[in-house]
Amino acid sequence: MDRSEEKRSLRKRLIEQRLNMPDRLHRAELLQRVMRIWLVGRPDTVIGAYWPIKGEFDPLPALHRWKEDGELLDEPQLRRIGLPVVDKLHQTLKFHAWFPGCPMEEDAYGIPKPKDTEIVVPTLLFVPCVGYGAGGYRLGYGGGFYDRTLAQLQPKPSTVGLGFAHGFLPNLEPEAHDVALDAVLNELGVVWPLPAEEE
C-alpha cells in the first residue's frame, strides 16, 4: 500500500472512530475547558477557526465566550472570530468574520460559511485535526488547504490543532509540504509543545 493510500485508510478509520465515540459530547466539554484556559492571557484579538464537520470538535462556543470576555475587560478590545471561505482559484482559505446568528451559506463543499461578512486576518488559527503526531504535525483531510494558506498568510498566525485523544498517531511521519502546528490541544490538555520536564 503506498503512502497516500495508507493515509486515506487511516483518515477513514479515525473519522469513523470519532463519529462513533459514545462519550464524544463529554470529551468535547473537556476540550472546551482546555481551550478556554489555554486562551487566557493571549494577546490575540482576531482568531480564525472552522465550522465542525464529520464529528469534529466544535471550537465556536469557547470562542464566543472568549469574545464576550473581551467585552468585559477594563479597556475592551473588539475581539473577532473568522471562519474559512475557500478561494477556489488559489485553493487557499480566506477568513470572514463570524458571530452567532450571522447569515450563512454553504460553500462548494457543502460546509457553512459566513455570507458577505468582511475579511479578517487572524493572528491565531485553530485548525481541525483528523489525527496528529509528535512535533505538532497533523493529519487533515488531504486537500492541502491549510498548508497552502499558512505558506502565504502574512504575518504568519500562530496555529493550534484541535482534536480528540484517539487521534494521536505516535508514528505519523510528516511529508515535505506539511507545516508543523505551534500547539495541539485535546480533551486531556496540551499535547504539543510538551511541557518542560521538571528538573
Side-chain angles (χ1 to χ4, degrees):
M1 193 190 302
D2 77 354
R3 195 148 177 204
S4 63
E5 193 57 49
E6 219 172 282
K7 278 191 165 178
R8 237 193 317 276
S9 70
L10 186 56
R11 254 183 221 113
K12 190 169 182 282
R13 192 181 80 227
L14 288 170
I15 291 168
E16 276 172 17
Q17 283 175 357
R18 188 168 67 193
L19 286 167
N20 294 316
M21 242 184 247
D23 58 349
R24 194 172 77 223
L25 289 178
H26 175 64
R27 286 172 186 256
E29 277 172 33
L30 293 174
L31 184 43
Q32 291 282 347
R33 203 173 307 158
V34 170
M35 193 178 153
R36 285 205 308 266
I37 292 166
W38 191 88
L39 279 167
V40 170
R42 283 202 57 99
D44 308 277
T45 55
V46 181
I47 295 181
Y50 56 89
W51 189 272
I53 58 169
K54 301 180 183 179
E56 284 173 344
F57 167 72
D58 182 356
L60 297 174
L63 284 176
H64 180 54
R65 184 121 164 227
W66 163 83
K67 185 177 182 300
E68 286 186 324
D69 288 348
E71 286 152 22
L72 302 175
L73 296 173
D74 289 342
E75 296 172 21
Q77 278 190 292
L78 184 61
R79 292 180 174 184
R80 327 231 12 230
I81 301 163
L83 288 184
V85 174
V86 173
D87 177 335
K88 283 196 209 126
L89 182 64
H90 301 105
Q91 294 287 292
T92 55
L93 305 170
K94 285 189 166 59
F95 289 83
H96 286 248
W98 173 86
F99 49 89
C102 91
M104 303 287 282
E105 62 186 352
E106 287 193 354
D107 69 11
Y109 300 92
I111 300 170
K113 64 176 186 179
K115 186 179 191 311
D116 304 327
T117 61
E118 68 187 286
I119 291 178
V120 294
V121 181
T123 56
L124 171 63
L125 201 50
F126 282 109
V127 184
C129 297
V130 176
Y132 52 89
Y137 289 100
R138 74 185 267 273
L139 177 70
Y141 292 103
F145 286 102
Y146 278 98
D147 290 327
R148 282 191 295 274
T149 302
L150 291 172
Q152 58 134 55
L153 265 185
Q154 287 304 324
K156 187 179 178 302
S158 298
T159 54
V160 180
L162 296 172
F164 295 116
H166 86 288
F168 179 69
L169 304 166
N171 303 319
L172 182 66
E173 286 185 24
E175 294 183 54
H177 61 270
D178 289 335
V179 180
L181 300 162
D182 296 307
V184 179
L185 311 179
N186 70 17
E187 70 273 27
L188 306 176
V190 178
V191 185
W192 173 261
L194 299 172
E197 293 290 315
E198 300 265 331
E199 292 286 318

